[in-house]
Amino acid sequence: MALSTHTTPTGFLLPSIHSAPPFFTQQPNPATQATVTEQWTKLILSYARFRRLFTLRVEDAETSGGDWDEVSRNPRINRRLLPSYLEYIISQLVAKGLAVYEPAKQTRSVQLYWRLPEEWAEVLHEWASSTGQLNTIMTFYEIVEPPLPSELSNLPISLLKKAIGILAKTARAQIIAVADGEGVRFLAGTSGR
């Protein structure tokens, strides 16, 4: 079979390397493996962004019918990503700062940074400014479950907290205690760029 791109049922365009059988196995040559790992990194992050997925687990390589099936399997060439290989790829994502183990102190599940926390901080502050939320105290829930969907919809609270922490360092946000936990007040401040 010739290498070719493929559009998945969700509309994501898989790169041609996804139709190469060696792409699904760990390579013995370190230089080749580094190249393949870089391709997996790009694929995982772009797919996560396309589908708005924030979590990747080793179990996703074992479970059919899940969110990651389109990437972790290629039935056209009868290949799938093995859990041990996905665990290696996950470790490389963490080493590059493109993911963090979530929860901490385990190595089988990560929170993906298809946008870095610093980028989420800018998205968050822009959202607060454009929706008139400056100087308003908001709960984390109000931000990640807004009445109208936004770029922040379903953002994991741990990632939201990191973004708020970044904004707090540049005096553009302030953590506030609220009745049911924590909230935030966004301030005009100046961009930390």
Side-chain angles (χ1 to χ4, degrees):
M1 172 182 238
L3 297 186
S4 62
T5 59
H6 177 73
T7 303
T8 68
T10 62
F12 182 77
L13 181 64
L14 289 167
S16 59
I17 195 167
H18 194 264
S19 61
F23 186 57
F24 290 86
T25 55
Q26 205 157 353
Q27 298 301 304
N29 180 301
T32 304
Q33 183 57 54
T35 301
V36 172
T37 300
E38 184 60 33
Q39 293 297 315
W40 270 113
T41 297
K42 288 178 185 174
L43 176 58
I44 287 169
L45 294 177
S46 62
Y47 185 75
R49 184 179 201 124
F50 177 80
R51 296 275 319 271
R52 293 194 53 83
L53 301 173
F54 293 96
T55 304
L56 177 61
R57 295 176 289 279
V58 172
E59 290 74 30
D60 291 326
E62 300 169 311
T63 310
S64 61
D67 287 336
W68 290 94
D69 244 13
E70 295 178 330
V71 170
S72 65
R73 300 173 193 280
N74 187 336
R76 293 171 295 122
I77 59 170
N78 196 26
R79 291 289 189 270
R80 70 182 182 92
L81 193 59
L82 295 176
S84 59
Y85 189 26
L86 181 54
E87 192 166 6
Y88 169 79
I89 293 167
I90 283 173
S91 74
Q92 297 305 297
L93 285 164
V94 170
K96 292 176 184 173
L98 299 171
V100 291
Y101 290 116
E102 183 73 31
K105 299 182 181 170
Q106 55 77 43
T107 59
R108 295 183 61 84
S109 177
V110 290
Q111 182 175 89
L112 295 167
Y113 289 163
W114 43 269
R115 268 194 183 130
L116 296 173
E118 296 80 8
E119 294 169 310
W120 279 114
E122 295 306 319
V123 168
L124 181 57
H125 196 267
E126 175 57 34
W127 172 83
S129 299
S130 67
T131 58
Q133 303 300 331
L134 294 180
N135 296 312
T136 303
I137 297 173
M138 300 187 72
T139 65
F140 295 163
Y141 177 80
E142 290 173 304
I143 297 168
V144 300
E145 296 291 335
L148 297 173
S150 79
E151 284 191 85
L152 302 167
S153 295
N154 302 315
L155 185 70
I157 297 295
S158 58
L159 189 50
L160 176 65
K161 286 182 176 183
K162 286 178 185 170
I164 291 169
I166 291 164
L167 291 175
K169 288 179 186 172
T170 59
R172 294 186 290 156
Q174 177 180 36
I175 301 276
I176 306 284
V178 294
D180 57 351
E182 293 177 298
V184 61
R185 175 185 295 142
F186 295 102
L187 308 166
T190 57
S191 176
R193 290 180 184 172

